[in-house]
Amino acid sequence: MDVALDSLKFIDLTTSSIIFLFIVGFIGGLVSGFIGSGGAFVLTPGMMSLGVPGTVAVASNMCHKFPKALVGAIKRFRYGQVDVKLGLVMAASAGVGVQVGIKIQNAILAAWGQAGSNLYVSLSFVAVLVIVGGYVFYDAMKRPGAKASGPTLAQRLQKIEMWPMITFKTAGVRISMWFTIPVGFATGMLAATIAVGGFIGVPGMIYVLGASGLVASASELVIAFAMGLGGTVNWAMHGMVDIRLTLIILAGSLLGVQLGAIGTTIVREAMIKIVMGSIMLIVAVSRALAVPKYLAELGLVEIPKDAVALMDKASFVIMCAALALGAVIILGSMYKARKAESRQAAYGQA
Amino acid sequence: MAQELTKKQALARMAVFGAASAAIYAGIFHFAAPITEMFARGGMYAAMPIATVFLVSYVHGGFASNLWTALGITAKTQQKTVQATQTTPTKRPEVRATLNA
């Protein structure tokens, strides 16, 4: 059974690369199980740093994403946190958003080349993450431990009776379909641009539609499954999936996603917003460091090559740090909550 | 449902799912080169990686779920239910006579 793999498409796996992919898979899964998305923004560049071609990295990552999201969604559905209807309605408009996002990407690629496309991706990252991530973080810090009631914008939108009105039972929301469409569309657009649609989808479901952080992050897993499955069928039909990479990441992420899902039942709900806001803001810094490189490639500024290489490395390290910090906050708060619980149980017995 | 299992039951299930998961991974990685090449032929061959990840998500997912249960890391909702059933018999509501005049 000696088959030589195409070395341009498939890398030689070493022990260190297997361990790296397993660990990033586990941490990415943990964060996804907790906030509904995450991991992809480190996994794709991480695989590329190992020598995997961009398209194979994207395809292999997507092929691990949808079964991971499925397992996470089933787990959280058992905890009563998933609004399947909300997830599917959002996924439908997100599908359209993905197609439009791809068309915009292709147009930019044709007009300004690879550097222009990379600049657009990085600027989108920075703009969206700073604005949305900043607001999520501000909201989480402003009202720590507060019960998730419908924020002002969501309450106002829910009052507008515009046919067809949709009732999302688990989310406890009744809102016009016309308000779900832009949120889903933006989720898909972002997914096509920066590969993490959840950074718009989850805050959108919370602040625009009025779902709680728990339901929004859990329902995001349904969107991730639907979009991931669709994307994987497309990539796999083009023969871009490296099943070895997918299975190694999946081995770690299936452990992580279940732990993250359990975590949502243990810690206070505001932690979801704190973790999401923190990750988004740190990733924004990481992507901001990549902007000068693309500006230099377009000839808009002049930067020494050493400085560009340093910023490139710093950008990747900060991105890994964002994911690691998310995992530390999740595991730390789970440990604290468990400790407080056992202390309470001890008081009860005494 | 895995969450309702005792640690001992979870341990047994973890062993079964773990062995099955290890067998799948060993089988695929033993023939890694031909399988990777075949799964990346495109067209109708796309069904192969998709079917594989569904199988792995069931088997390895089952292992992971039982692993956390066996380690005592379970969802809080379950504990609340357990506490409720334990404390209910000890406190009985006082019977009071009421007069509807």
Side-chain angles (χ1 to χ4, degrees):
Chain A
M1 283 267 213
D2 262 1
V3 176
L5 287 174
D6 180 0
S7 60
L8 290 174
K9 198 164 149 187
F10 304 111
I11 58 161
D12 278 332
L13 283 172
T14 60
T15 312
S16 57
S17 58
I18 291 171
I19 293 170
F20 171 77
L21 291 173
F22 180 83
I23 292 173
V24 178
F26 174 77
I27 299 174
L30 177 69
V31 174
S32 294
F34 196 79
I35 65 170
S37 64
F41 61 88
V42 171
L43 273 165
T44 306
M47 277 192 267
M48 286 166 75
S49 73
L50 296 174
V52 179
T55 44
V56 176
V58 171
S60 307
N61 184 20
M62 200 166 274
C63 190
H64 113 276
K65 179 182 162 175
F66 81 83
K68 172 189 75 178
L70 174 68
V71 169
I74 291 172
K75 192 96 178 166
R76 293 188 67 171
F77 180 77
R78 286 174 178 167
Y79 303 150
Q81 299 172 349
V82 176
D83 195 314
V84 180
K85 192 175 170 186
L86 176 62
L88 292 177
V89 166
M90 288 276 291
S93 42
V96 181
V98 168
Q99 297 307 320
V100 175
I102 291 170
K103 287 225 162 93
I104 293 174
Q105 280 270 42
N106 287 338
I108 290 171
L109 193 68
W112 291 291
Q114 193 59 51
S117 167
N118 288 340
L119 181 67
Y120 162 70
V121 170
S122 291
L123 287 176
S124 309
F125 245 118
V126 177
V128 171
L129 298 192
V130 167
I131 296 167
V132 183
Y135 186 74
V136 171
F137 195 77
Y138 164 76
D139 184 51
M141 300 313 281
K142 194 179 70 177
R143 301 179 300 166
K147 281 190 176 178
S149 57
T152 329
L153 174 65
Q155 280 175 335
R156 269 188 227 157
L157 294 177
Q158 284 170 18
K159 278 181 188 161
I160 301 170
E161 294 275 337
M162 204 189 301
W163 185 89
M165 296 293 285
I166 309 178
T167 304
F168 301 107
K169 280 185 186 167
T170 308
V173 170
R174 184 175 176 272
I175 196 162
S176 169
M177 186 189 78
W178 300 108
F179 298 124
T180 68
I181 290 175
V183 179
F185 184 82
T187 306
M189 275 268 287
L190 205 69
T193 314
I194 68 170
V196 202
F199 283 164
I200 279 272
V202 178
M205 281 187 270
I206 296 173
Y207 300 112
V208 181
L209 305 183
S212 68
L214 264 183
V215 172
S217 58
S219 305
E220 174 63 33
L221 289 166
V222 177
I223 307 172
F225 167 73
M227 281 166 57
L229 179 60
T232 303
V233 169
N234 188 21
W235 282 115
M237 286 185 83
H238 287 90
M240 289 298 165
V241 174
D242 185 338
I243 194 72
R244 301 168 307 158
L245 302 175
T246 300
L247 290 181
I248 294 166
I249 302 166
L250 201 56
S253 73
L254 288 180
L255 286 162
V257 78
Q258 307 213 26
L259 188 60
I262 293 169
T264 58
T265 67
I266 297 172
V267 306
R268 58 191 174 92
E269 200 177 323
M271 286 311 294
I272 293 174
K273 290 179 187 171
I274 292 174
V275 171
M276 181 164 237
S278 310
I279 291 179
M280 288 172 84
L281 290 178
I282 301 171
V283 173
V285 174
S286 155
R287 295 321 297 165
L289 280 172
V291 170
K293 176 186 164 186
Y294 304 130
L295 287 175
E297 280 176 12
L298 286 169
L300 296 170
V301 288
E302 268 189 38
I303 303 167
K305 274 187 179 173
D306 291 355
V308 168
L310 190 71
M311 280 193 279
D312 233 16
K313 270 188 188 167
S315 167
F316 184 64
V317 170
I318 291 171
M319 197 136 53
C320 292
L323 198 62
L325 179 83
V328 168
I329 298 175
I330 295 167
L331 293 176
S333 50
M334 276 174 78
Y335 177 73
K336 266 189 184 173
R338 280 273 172 200
K339 221 176 161 187
E341 212 172 87
S342 53
R343 215 180 295 139
Q344 262 188 343
Y347 272 128
Q349 279 178 349
Chain B
M1 233 159 70
Q3 293 100 310
E4 288 161 4
L5 299 173
T6 62
K7 277 191 186 182
K8 219 173 179 182
Q9 285 172 317
L11 208 63
R13 282 182 172 226
M14 186 196 85
V16 174
F17 275 110
S21 176
I24 292 171
Y25 270 87
I28 292 174
F29 278 87
H30 190 257
F31 302 105
I35 288 177
T36 308
E37 186 273 328
M38 191 198 287
F39 283 19
R41 283 183 193 168
M44 294 310 284
Y45 285 91
M48 289 179 167
I50 293 168
T52 305
V53 291
F54 268 120
L55 175 70
V56 168
S57 63
Y58 175 71
V59 177
H60 189 62
F63 162 73
S65 173
N66 287 293
L67 171 72
W68 297 126
T69 311
L71 289 172
I73 302 169
T74 48
K76 204 177 176 181
T77 43
Q78 181 201 356
Q79 286 183 340
K80 273 182 183 167
T81 323
V82 171
Q83 276 175 355
T85 49
Q86 280 173 345
T87 51
T88 316
T90 55
K91 268 193 170 182
R92 289 191 173 188
E94 208 174 305
V95 181
R96 287 184 183 192
T98 51
L99 184 66
N100 294 321

